[in-house]
Amino acid sequence: MSEGAGGVRRPVRLVNLDLNLLLSLRALLTERNVTRAAAALGLSQPAVSAALARLRRHFGDDLLVRVGNRYELTPLALRLVERTERAVGGIEEVFSAAPDFDPVSTAREFTLLVSDYATSVLGVPLAAAMAARAPCARLVLRPHSPDDVVGAAERLRPVDGMVMPHGFIDEMPYLDLYEDRWVVLAATGNTRVGEAVTLDDLAALPWVTIYHRPTAFTPANLQLRTLGIEPRAQVVVESFLPVPELVAGTERVALVQARLAARLGPDPGVRVLAAPFDVGPLLEALWWHPVHDTDPAHTWFRGLVAEVAAGLPGAGALKD
């Protein structure tokens, strides 16, 4: 968009733009240095300096400013980082489209938005399957955020999908992958928790919580709130893997997935206990934008993800 009369934004005419500038913009925003951006693009430093000058004129903003002996992004440049990545991803998807799809020869990049939990459970076998079936392809497992969930309709368009349990995303196509269940973690030395944890314990003890935002509570935390228990979040993280360490040696408790708890080492400093309330099953699904429905490459990829998920051990076989 560009500024028109009366401050009204009007669409930029793409026909007047050199879309190669988009690649230069991504490299400059990523590297925050003209020399490194030039190396990443395989271009000369003067060529990238010229591209930066054109970008500065287009946006009316410096984009990169020197602070001491380094460059930093301007506020506008910071807002452009994610937009630029999405735009490049969309262009790559358009020009990698083909009437037929051959996984053996494709060099396509497949991108999934995932939590570190899903990366641990599903990402490892999926990477192995991709290497065997599509050896020239690239699998990108990108961490998702609560903002990705809230803006799923927009965030899913430039990627191949998001692995997310039911209860967060609506009106997007999905494929159920696997079930898990919630368990409670408590430190081995936490004397305030007996052989079994109670609802009173969960109400009284401090918590390690994940995604502690109104739109991003885990389903189990939402169930607790319906029982009148508001977890007292002492530590908040936006990933699951550090949770056991944040519980060990403290009076904190946390809810984690049984598949994640099953991966703990022989002496993790925590106990894995059954939840003291009827926690509904956690059903992980692959969600994608409808624009990908008929794409042959995406259809193949969805099938591979489903096949890998079907080969995971059942959650019921995991020990508490």
Side-chain angles (χ1 to χ4, degrees):
M1 302 287 283
S2 60
E3 191 89 7
V8 177
R9 305 289 285 176
R10 63 174 184 267
V12 171
R13 287 178 55 81
L14 294 180
V15 70
N16 297 327
L17 290 178
D18 177 1
L19 293 183
N20 285 317
L21 286 175
L22 185 61
L23 298 179
S24 297
L25 178 61
R26 179 173 69 167
L28 287 163
L29 295 178
T30 301
E31 301 296 340
R32 305 187 182 193
N33 179 281
V34 172
T35 302
R36 290 199 300 269
L41 292 167
L43 299 175
S44 67
Q45 183 173 334
V48 176
S49 293
L52 176 58
R54 293 177 63 188
L55 288 164
R56 282 170 166 167
R57 287 195 298 272
H58 173 79
F59 288 107
D61 187 90
D62 285 339
L63 300 178
L64 290 174
V65 293
R66 183 179 287 277
V67 178
N69 61 353
R70 70 183 189 280
Y71 283 95
E72 291 187 359
L73 301 184
T74 66
L76 173 62
L78 287 169
R79 296 200 303 272
L80 289 173
V81 171
E82 187 174 343
R83 297 181 190 180
T84 301
E85 197 64 41
R86 293 202 306 268
V88 172
I91 291 173
E92 289 175 343
E93 183 177 341
V94 168
F95 286 97
S96 64
D100 299 307
F101 177 70
D102 177 17
V104 175
S105 61
T106 187
R108 190 186 189 282
E109 183 173 280
F110 295 90
T111 301
L112 279 181
L113 301 179
V114 289
S115 66
D116 55 350
Y117 151 72
T119 298
S120 178
V121 171
L122 184 65
V124 174
L126 179 59
M130 284 280 291
R133 308 281 185 85
C136 301
R138 176 184 297 168
L139 176 65
V140 178
L141 301 174
R142 184 177 299 165
H144 61 51
S145 70
D147 293 332
D148 292 323
V149 178
V150 174
E154 177 185 0
R155 304 299 178 94
L156 286 175
R157 184 182 289 274
V159 300
D160 290 284
M162 182 188 305
V163 178
M164 175 70 58
H166 282 269
F168 295 95
I169 300 175
D170 295 315
E171 300 180 352
M172 287 286 138
Y174 66 89
L175 183 66
D176 289 337
L177 296 178
Y178 61 88
E179 280 194 5
D180 207 337
R181 54 194 173 85
W182 295 99
V183 294
V184 177
L185 293 188
T188 53
N190 188 347
T191 58
R192 295 182 63 181
V193 177
E195 294 184 1
V197 65
T198 67
L199 284 175
D200 288 341
D201 293 333
L202 298 185
L205 292 170
W207 279 68
V208 177
T209 63
I210 299 93
Y211 299 134
H212 193 79
R213 302 185 191 180
T215 57
F217 281 107
T218 64
N221 283 101
L222 290 173
Q223 275 186 270
L224 272 177
R225 296 179 78 183
T226 65
L227 295 173
I229 296 175
E230 183 68 44
R232 179 163 60 90
Q234 190 176 75
V235 178
V236 178
V237 291
E238 294 199 348
S239 55
F240 290 96
L241 295 185
V243 171
E245 293 181 75
L246 292 168
V247 169
T250 74
E251 291 188 340
R252 302 179 195 122
V253 293
L255 281 167
V256 299
Q257 305 88 340
R259 292 179 187 274
L260 181 60
R263 293 171 176 267
L264 295 174
D267 186 20
V270 295
R271 292 179 286 159
V272 181
L273 304 168
F277 60 104
D278 185 18
V279 188
L282 175 68
L283 181 56
E284 289 279 332
L286 171 65
W287 306 81
W288 67 90
H289 196 282
V291 73
H292 302 305
D293 279 343
T294 59
D295 176 57
H298 190 269
T299 301
W300 173 84
F301 182 65
R302 291 199 306 263
L304 183 66
V305 174
E307 179 184 331
V308 170
L312 296 174
L318 302 172
K319 296 180 179 180
D320 283 334

